[in-house]
Amino acid sequence: MNRTFAPALAAVLALAACGPADADNGAAPASPSAASGQDMPPIAQVGFNDLLRDPAAPFIGAENADVTIIGFVDYNCPYCKKMQPEIDGLLKADPKVRVLYKDWPIFGDVSETAARTALAASYQGKYEAVHNAFMLSPSRIGDQADITRLVQSAGVDMARLNQDLADHRADIDAVLDRNGREAAALALQGTPAFIINGNLIPGGMPQAQLEAVIGRIRSGQPLR
């Protein structure tokens, strides 16, 4: 059943979710649920805790956060790229927020290679740098040459990266498999999708609206 956001938060979302079919278009029409601010069901608390429990899932932001945003993203999703400045602005403005990323490569082989590369970079403490390089790339990541160029721009030790890709292949496979199963369990239709302290946001929204959502969560007000 659709549940409508509180009136103050029911403005049209500036960013929508896109699926694999949108990859070649650069932008996708907003889905009805994203555009209306509807279909934002709470995640069962045990389910949210399960999502948080994966020690291999990288996060950016505060260690002692009171708000955790779980983001399902693909590095070739145009709406994920549009969300990156919004998330960056939020993290700079709010020292009690962290973002836990669930790499969910749904746009094909290049997206999967990029996700594997970002996860491998975490073993040398470079996940955030690679994530940002991929997300802030103004053009689509088209092949391995693009991935290598962006990773090098992030200051990654390439020899160690290649070794970690080989040594930790099974662990990286397991992370991506878990992320895919979690996305399926949540019935996600595309990327980006965000879960903020157990509340599912199927799409994206501007920083100001994210801050409004977080304010309501902290004050204990319902979002729908």
Side-chain angles (χ1 to χ4, degrees), residues 5-170:
F5 235 0
L9 299 179
V12 173
L13 301 185
L15 305 169
C18 57
D22 306 314
D24 294 330
N25 299 330
S31 65
S33 61
S36 66
Q38 295 179 335
D39 287 341
M40 305 177 72
I43 304 301
Q45 188 60 36
V46 62
F48 184 61
N49 288 337
D50 287 343
L51 292 172
L52 290 174
R53 197 169 288 128
D54 187 350
F59 74 85
I60 297 170
E63 290 266 1
N64 59 341
D66 66 351
V67 170
T68 296
I69 301 173
I70 296 173
F72 287 82
V73 297
D74 182 299
Y75 292 118
N76 268 331
C77 165
Y79 290 102
C80 297
K81 289 177 178 290
K82 289 181 181 180
M83 272 301 294
Q84 189 64 38
E86 310 298 330
I87 295 293
D88 287 345
L90 176 66
L91 290 173
K92 289 176 183 176
D94 194 327
K96 297 293 286 182
V97 171
R98 68 173 178 171
V99 181
L100 189 152
Y101 282 109
K102 300 279 188 174
D103 290 277
W104 185 31
I106 59 175
F107 289 112
D109 292 343
V110 174
S111 287
E112 182 173 338
T113 300
R116 289 179 180 281
T117 302
L119 290 169
S122 68
Y123 291 96
Q124 57 178 285
K126 288 288 189 178
Y127 177 86
E128 182 175 1
V130 171
H131 173 91
N132 289 340
F134 288 162
M135 282 299 182
L136 297 176
S137 173
S139 58
R140 179 176 172 79
I141 303 172
D143 53 24
Q144 181 62 55
D146 287 344
I147 291 173
T148 300
R149 172 178 54 81
L150 291 167
V151 169
Q152 288 174 331
S153 75
V156 169
D157 180 332
M158 296 301 293
R160 178 171 177 184
L161 177 72
N162 290 330
Q163 191 64 52
D164 285 333
L165 278 166
D167 290 347
H168 300 286
R169 180 180 178 83

Side-chain angles (χ1 to χ4, degrees), residues 139-220:
S139 58
R140 179 176 172 79
I141 303 172
D143 53 24
Q144 181 62 55
D146 287 344
I147 291 173
T148 300
R149 172 178 54 81
L150 291 167
V151 169
Q152 288 174 331
S153 75
V156 169
D157 180 332
M158 296 301 293
R160 178 171 177 184
L161 177 72
N162 290 330
Q163 191 64 52
D164 285 333
L165 278 166
D167 290 347
H168 300 286
R169 180 180 178 83
D171 294 328
I172 293 170
D173 285 347
V175 170
L176 294 178
D177 180 65
R178 281 196 298 274
N179 292 351
R181 286 188 283 109
E182 289 168 352
L186 293 168
L188 299 183
Q189 299 299 305
T191 55
F194 297 97
I195 301 164
I196 306 178
N197 276 29
N199 297 276
L200 177 61
I201 312 295
M205 57 176 61
Q207 179 183 338
Q209 197 167 357
L210 283 169
E211 291 172 344
V213 170
I214 289 169
R216 295 180 72 87
I217 289 171
R218 284 179 171 148
S219 65

